Each structure stands twice: as structure tokens, then as C-alpha cells.
Amino acid sequence: MLQDILPVESIRFADRFDDWRDAVRAACQPLLERGAIEPAYIDAIIENVEKIGPYIVIAPDVAIPHARPEAGAKAIAMSLLKVSEPVAFSDDPEHQARLLFAFSATDSHSHQRALKQLAHWIMDEAKFAELQAATSPEVIAALIASLGD
């Protein structure tokens, strides 16, 4: 499932961002290019984090920028932005991430299998270390392909 919604073209790398909002915009750019979201979807993510806080940072070094389907999601899709320097979503060091998995879904359940697969990947220390060490989109795509369902 993850392999189906996160193609190699949607895996990007960056060195650093001065503002987490710019990182969210960059993470969502592949979704916008694929027509999976409307521009308003990105604005909704940023507004939610400004209102609620950095809830999108779900584990050390991992953020999952997303918004509700009605905010402008047009398809289930995911992108990955791997940043060399951690992106700070608050002053708390626990709210920093170098891996931003942006996703969109058109309902509240169709993406659950992909998120479950992503969660297993992140919790597997060896596989997560391979992801953190990956230096190209092709290497990450191969890692995703090796995950199985």
C-alpha cells in the first residue's frame, strides 16, 4: 500500500529550512504536483499546527503533515521530504523532524493501511536506521518496496 501511494517521484531531499511552514510547503509540493491536493490543503495544515501545536510530529524525527479531507484532499497520496537539518516545529527539541511524510486522503479510513505500514517501518529500529541513512529517492523507494504489506 505504501509503495502505491508514495512513488519515487514524491521523495525529495533538502538541506534545511528556517521556518517549519516552508518545510511543510516543500513536503506537500509533490502532492500538489500530482493533483492529490488543492493549495488550500497546505494552508489548512499550517493553520492547524498554529492553532493546535506540533501534533504532526508523531515520533522523534518524524512528522506527518496532513489535514482533514474536506480541506482540499482530492486523492490518497503521500510524499516524503528528508531534510539534513532538523525542522523545529516548536522550541521543544522533541518537536523536531528530519522526515516529513505529507499525506492526503479523501476519507477517514482509506489511508489507515498505509499509515499502519508506515508506523511499523518507523518502529523497526533497523529499517528506520536504513531510512535515516538513505541518500537518494531510489534507495528509499527500494526500502519501501522491501516492506511488504
Side-chain angles (χ1 to χ4, degrees):
M1 179 72 184
L2 198 54
Q3 187 176 7
D4 298 331
I5 67 169
L6 180 52
V8 68
E9 301 81 28
S10 292
I11 301 170
R12 310 264 168 96
F13 286 71
D15 290 329
R16 64 183 306 274
F17 293 92
D18 290 329
D19 186 303
W20 63 265
R21 293 164 192 84
D22 293 336
V24 166
R25 287 184 191 97
C28 291
Q29 186 62 33
L31 302 179
L32 197 58
E33 292 170 5
R34 289 165 55 192
I37 60 171
E38 297 172 1
Y41 190 82
I42 300 169
D43 297 336
I45 294 170
I46 291 170
E47 287 173 20
N48 287 342
V49 172
E50 289 174 342
K51 284 182 194 170
I52 304 168
Y55 70 96
I56 61 173
V57 181
I58 58 126
D61 228 11
V62 178
I64 302 183
H66 65 284
R68 298 195 50 82
E70 58 271 20
K74 297 166 59 178
I76 181 170
M78 185 176 285
S79 60
L80 169 59
L81 177 64
K82 188 170 186 266
V83 185
S84 299
E85 290 186 24
V87 175
F89 286 88
S90 79
D91 293 335
D92 187 336
E94 291 187 13
H95 296 147
Q96 295 183 356
R98 285 182 281 193
L99 299 165
L100 285 75
F101 291 90
F103 86 89
S104 64
T106 55
D107 57 47
S108 60
H109 59 276
S110 62
H111 60 287
Q112 291 177 353
R113 197 168 130 219
L115 288 182
K116 183 177 176 184
Q117 194 177 20
L118 178 61
H120 284 255
W121 190 15
I122 292 167
M123 291 188 298
D124 184 315
E125 288 183 28
K127 289 183 180 182
F128 188 65
E130 290 176 339
L131 172 61
Q132 290 177 308
T135 57
S136 74
E138 291 76 16
V139 169
I140 293 174
L143 291 171
I144 293 169
S146 73
L147 294 176
D149 284 331

